[in-house]
Each structure stands twice: as structure tokens, then as C-alpha cells.
Amino acid sequence: ICQRYESLMGLFMLLSFYGLVRAQDPAHARLWTDVALASCALGMATKEIMIVAPVLLLAYDALFLSAGVRDAMAKRWRTHLAFISTWGVFLVLGAAYRAYEVTSGSTLGLSEDPGRYLLTQAGVVLYYIRLAIIPYPFCLDYDWPLVARYRDAIPQVLGVLALIGLTAWACRRRLAVGFLGLWFFLILAPSSSIRPLPDVVFEHRMYLPLAALVVLT
């Protein structure tokens, strides 16, 4: 079920970008802008990872369609504010689900140690990258433990920070490769840093981030 929702969310994410690009044609700007906004809203109702879409859409606009963030907002501020407003769909549905959890007594079994989860994810992200290069072994249910001591994760954390630093440098220089790094890290962020989940590793979380590695290759 998670993989199906991940695939559906990926469809809406990519369709949002497709609509934004096609909207650059003045003859069909309104139609494709509406398609992009509808896709973004539907994605918000599908999977929480979609919350990064408005940020990525603005970054794409700034890097490829405009001369920077200010130029993108000057040209299409209404469109980007509309993308941001789709966060309301996520917030409403998230509140409804939390209310359901309270009334039903159900729980997702979230990790009780977000600090250790965050540090563990540094190694997990590097593992995802390694799997993209050498796709073996795959596993449906990893028994991946949280790091026992903070210092054990130092090499992995430094590796990820180096990649994030290169991404920031490339974005600042307005290099296309910077967007690939931004795409990879932002899409992984909700499941790999912000909200600790009971499953430390899940390969379907790489569906969309993998696109950046494929394009880079």
C-alpha cells in the first residue's frame, strides 16, 4: 500500500513540474497552470513527502525559467503562492488523521529517539546512493538498528553534509546539477530527518529521489 501511494504521489509531483513547464507557452498558460496546481493539491492529499513540492517548484523556476528567486516571484508570484496554499490540504488531512488516532487509540509506533534516528539516516542516505549504483541486496523489511553512540555516525554525517554543501554551492552558482541535489535531499528529508518513522530504511522512499541520480548519471 505504501508503495502504491508513493507511486501516485510521484505521479502528481512530476505532473506539477510538467504543468509549470508547459505553462510557459502563453497560448496554454492558464490550462497548464491549473493542471500543475491541481496535481500539487492532489499530491498533498496522497503522501506527506509532497510538502516539499512548492519549494522545489520555486527552485526549478528560479534556476531554469527565471534569473533567480526574486525574478521567479516577480513573474509568477500568484502561481507560487497558490502552490504554497496547497499546504492547507496537507494540514487539514493531517489534523483529521491525528484526531482519528486519538479517538481510535491507534499509533504509527514512531521512534522515541529522533536524535538517534536523524544520525542513523545519514548512513541510510549513503546506503540508498550505493544501492542506486550497485542495486544489491534489496530487502522488503530491513532490521536496521539506530546508532548506539552518536560518535559512531560521524563519518556518515560528514559524508552527507559534504554532499549537501556541494548542492548548496551548485545552487548558488546556478548550476543545473544543484537542482538534482536539491531534489534528492528535499524529497528524502520528510522521511529521513524531520519525522522519525518505525521503518528506518524503506526502498520505496527512493522512487522520486532516484530520478535525480539517474539524470545525473
Side-chain angles (χ1 to χ4, degrees):
I1 293 176
C2 287
Q3 292 176 355
R4 291 175 183 173
Y5 277 117
E6 197 87 15
S7 300
L8 188 60
M9 183 274 299
L11 170 65
F12 291 135
M13 174 80 82
L14 295 175
L15 191 55
S16 298
F17 279 86
Y18 185 73
L20 178 64
V21 173
R22 290 296 301 271
Q24 304 315 301
D25 179 3
H28 304 95
R30 180 62 181 272
L31 170 63
W32 286 107
T33 298
D34 290 345
V35 168
L37 293 173
S39 299
C40 193
L42 289 170
M44 294 290 178
T46 306
K47 196 83 174 175
E48 63 273 9
I49 296 171
M50 194 70 183
I51 62 174
V52 303
V55 179
L56 284 172
L57 286 161
L58 177 58
Y60 184 91
D61 191 348
L63 283 170
F64 298 108
L65 306 178
S66 306
V69 174
R70 291 183 180 179
D71 186 41
M73 290 300 292
K75 291 178 178 177
R76 285 173 284 276
W77 65 271
R78 291 184 179 86
T79 299
H80 288 294
L81 285 181
F83 282 134
I84 292 172
S85 71
T86 61
W87 279 337
V89 176
F90 171 78
L91 293 175
V92 169
L93 293 179
Y97 186 74
R98 284 192 294 272
Y100 165 76
E101 282 188 317
V102 171
T103 56
S104 65
S106 64
T107 177
L108 288 175
L110 299 180
S111 169
E112 296 179 357
D113 195 335
R116 289 175 61 204
Y117 180 88
L118 175 61
L119 293 176
T120 302
Q121 285 302 311
V124 172
V125 168
L126 295 178
Y127 178 72
Y128 287 152
I129 295 175
R130 204 274 293 165
L131 276 184
I133 301 170
I134 305 175
Y136 178 85
F138 288 127
C139 182
L140 291 174
D141 187 10
Y142 285 92
D143 185 19
W144 194 295
L146 297 179
V147 293
R149 298 170 299 180
Y150 286 178
R151 64 174 178 267
D152 294 339
I154 290 177
Q156 294 88 345
V157 170
L158 291 178
V160 171
L161 288 178
L163 293 175
I164 293 175
L166 287 173
T167 296
W169 174 83
C171 288
R172 185 175 180 81
R173 295 290 299 271
R174 295 184 53 78
L175 301 177
V177 69
F179 181 77
L180 297 180
L182 202 62
W183 175 279
F184 180 85
F185 286 112
L186 280 185
I187 292 176
L188 278 179
S191 60
S192 300
S193 61
I194 297 174
R195 190 186 189 201
L197 299 173
D199 295 306
V200 177
V201 184
F202 232 134
E203 289 162 4
H204 70 250
R205 294 172 187 164
M206 272 293 288
Y207 283 179
L208 273 178
L210 183 61
L213 299 181
V214 171
V215 171
L216 177 63
T217 302

